[in-house]
Structure formats: C-alpha cells, structure tokens
Amino acid sequence: MEAIIQSNYAAMSKIAAQIVAELLNTKPNAVLGMATGSTPLGLYQELVRLHTREQLDFSRVTTFNLDEYVGLNANHPQSYHHFMHEHFFQHVNIPPHNINIPSGTTSNYPAFCDWYEKRIVECGGIDLQILGIGTDGHIGFNEPTSSLSSRTRLKTLSKQTIDDNARFFDRRADVPVYAITMGVGTILEARKLLLVASGNGKAKAIAQTVEGPVTSMVTASALQLHRDAVVIVDEAAASQLTMRDYYDFIYAAKPAAPRGA
Ligand code: PGA
C-alpha cells in the first residue's frame, strides 16, 4: 500500500484528481468506482475543473457508485443519487446510461445486488475505485465485522455511522438504518484503489488501515490485501501513523526510483 501525505485537504484532493486524470488519459473508456461523503468533494471539484478548463473527457467513462441508503428515492436531498448529480455528474460529460448507482428503492434487493455485481463484470470490471473511510474504518457501508469477502448486499449501519451521518439530516431518527453497499470483496476486485481521508477524526482509522492488522473490525484494512492501493491523507489524518517519515521518504524518492519500484 502506498501512503501519500499532503499538507492540507486541497493538496490531497488535487493529487487524488491527478491519479484519476492520468487513468482517463491512458484509458478514456475507464470504469470508475465512485464514493460519496464530504471527503471526496474536493476531488470531484478538481475533476470538474479539469473537465471545464483542461478538456478532461468523460464521454466514454462508466461509473459505479459504492452505496446508497435504503428507503431514499433518487430525488431525496440526502440520497447518494442526488449527491452525485449535484456534485459531479451534472458538471461533466458522462453519458447518463453509463452511470450506475445502487437502488435504494428496489422491490427486490437480492436480485438487484446480483444484477449490480454482474453489471460491473459486463462493463469489464472497475479500473479505479475511489474510497472514503468512516471513523469506524468502514469502506462503502461495510461496517465492522463485515466479511472481507462480502459482495454487494444490504447492511445495517453501525451506531457510529448513524451518529456521523446525522449531521446531514434534520433529526438523527431520519438517518436510514439500512444501506445497499458493494462488499469488501467487490471493492478488492477493482484494479486500483484510491482512498482519501482528511482531519483528526480519521487519524485512528487511517493508522489502523495502513499499519494495523487486517481485520474485519476495520474493513478498510483489507486494502493491505490489494496489490495497488493508494491512501492519500492530509496532515491531520496522518497524525497517528508511526511510519510517517518512511512514507514521506518513499514519495520524495519516487521520481528517481527504478521503473516498477
Ligand atoms: P465522510 O464519510 O467523507 O463524510 O467523512 C466517509 C465515509 O463514511 O465513507
């Protein structure tokens, strides 16, 4: 796993966007895995800027979102359908039929989950999956004790996630209790993983992810099993990493490193 520490949120978002842009420049029909939450907002803003100012083209891109709340229809202001449209899709040129987001209102969740998994495979698999991380170490809505082999399915949110996400709803009781989420196993099949995290509140989860044991108690720690996972964090989120100097040394030395190192 590669850990890249940047001085602040803006720098973190920019580096993350550059990695996405490099992929699109080499593979214009790439399949992107998208994440919601406050953290990837800066990354999406930078991608929108690259699209508007530097002609970064999304016309052949396909996307798959990680998750959606159960019970919120696509127009609900807190649905992830709405979030993605507001913050990203309406600003770039991804054909609407190439956009895939789990349904929070299907009448048959198991069938929908199977279809979602098959659709990812039919599209050639995910080239790059963007990830945030919960304060409880979740990726997607794979809460602590989720199987590290899990596939797209329904999950019950943890109390900590409900508390964390209550800030977006009028009342805590309005936060959905269930979500549909890609599994950890689904996420690990993406060819590249790009996790972004910012702020002190994520410092413990990031230390556990990068340096802790692989455990379903911190599902992001499964990134250690992936051959091409990059974690980009700001100073605050990096503050509990014990090998921090080494990560900085690797990153500084990288341009001179032999190819493939
Ligand atoms: P956040 O959410 O970016 O809003 O902190 C991250 C997550 O729960 O995955």
Side-chain angles (χ1 to χ4, degrees):
M1 177 175 340
E2 183 177 9
I4 300 176
I5 299 140
Q6 292 291 298
S7 52
N8 56 44
Y9 177 75
M12 177 202 88
S13 302
K14 207 164 177 166
I15 297 276
Q18 272 164 16
I19 292 175
V20 178
E22 273 162 27
L23 170 67
L24 297 191
N25 287 330
T26 52
K27 186 174 183 186
N29 62 344
V31 178
L32 297 180
M34 313 304 285
T36 48
S38 339
T39 315
L41 280 175
L43 156 60
Y44 294 147
Q45 275 163 17
E46 178 61 12
L47 288 177
V48 170
R49 193 193 67 77
L50 291 172
H51 171 67
T52 344
R53 300 281 165 81
E54 297 183 26
Q55 289 82 47
L56 183 64
D57 182 29
F58 291 85
S59 64
R60 296 172 61 200
V61 165
T62 298
T63 64
F64 285 90
N65 263 78
L66 280 170
D67 46 18
E68 177 59 287
Y69 288 118
V70 165
L72 301 192
N73 67 43
N75 297 324
H76 189 287
Q78 295 311 330
S79 77
Y80 289 163
H81 281 75
H82 187 263
F83 175 102
M84 289 306 300
H85 181 73
E86 280 296 298
H87 296 293
F88 190 57
F89 292 141
Q90 69 167 327
H91 307 291
V92 294
N93 62 335
I94 302 174
H97 60 267
N98 284 5
I99 293 171
N100 300 280
I101 305 179
S103 168
T105 52
T106 176
S107 56
N108 187 339
Y109 281 97
F112 183 88
C113 293
D114 281 351
W115 175 84
Y116 203 69
E117 290 274 341
K118 286 193 186 103
R119 186 83 197 121
I120 294 172
V121 173
E122 275 166 19
C123 291
I126 294 172
D127 289 299
L128 186 155
Q129 176 67 57
I130 296 164
L131 298 165
I133 184 169
T135 56
D136 65 358
H138 71 201
I139 44 175
F141 273 127
N142 294 288
E143 302 290 33
T145 72
S146 289
S147 161
L148 300 185
S149 309
S150 50
R151 312 302 307 190
T152 304
R153 70 213 185 289
L154 283 179
K155 274 303 289 183
T156 307
L157 303 191
S158 71
K159 186 180 168 303
Q160 192 171 336
T161 296
I162 294 173
D163 287 345
D164 288 347
N165 292 1
R167 68 190 192 277
F168 299 113
F169 292 82
D170 291 339
R171 294 172 309 154
R172 188 183 185 281
D174 293 340
V175 184
V177 172
Y178 304 104
I180 177 169
T181 182
M182 278 188 208
V184 182
T186 320
I187 292 168
L188 289 178
E189 279 172 15
R191 285 182 272 279
K192 186 177 186 83
L193 303 179
L194 179 60
L195 186 147
V196 283
S198 157
N200 276 317
K202 300 292 173 67
K204 183 172 176 216
I206 285 297
Q208 289 174 320
T209 297
V210 178
E211 298 177 341
V214 174
T215 168
S216 65
M217 287 299 286
V218 179
T219 56
S221 67
L223 265 65
Q224 294 177 33
L225 301 169
H226 195 278
R227 66 176 73 179
D228 189 1
V230 184
V231 172
I232 309 181
V233 294
D234 65 6
E235 288 287 349
S239 59
Q240 291 187 33
L241 289 170
T242 60
M243 301 266 291
R244 194 246 148 98
D245 290 349
Y246 181 53
Y247 310 136
D248 285 342
F249 179 61
I250 294 172
Y251 191 61
K254 206 173 170 184
R259 278 174 66 83

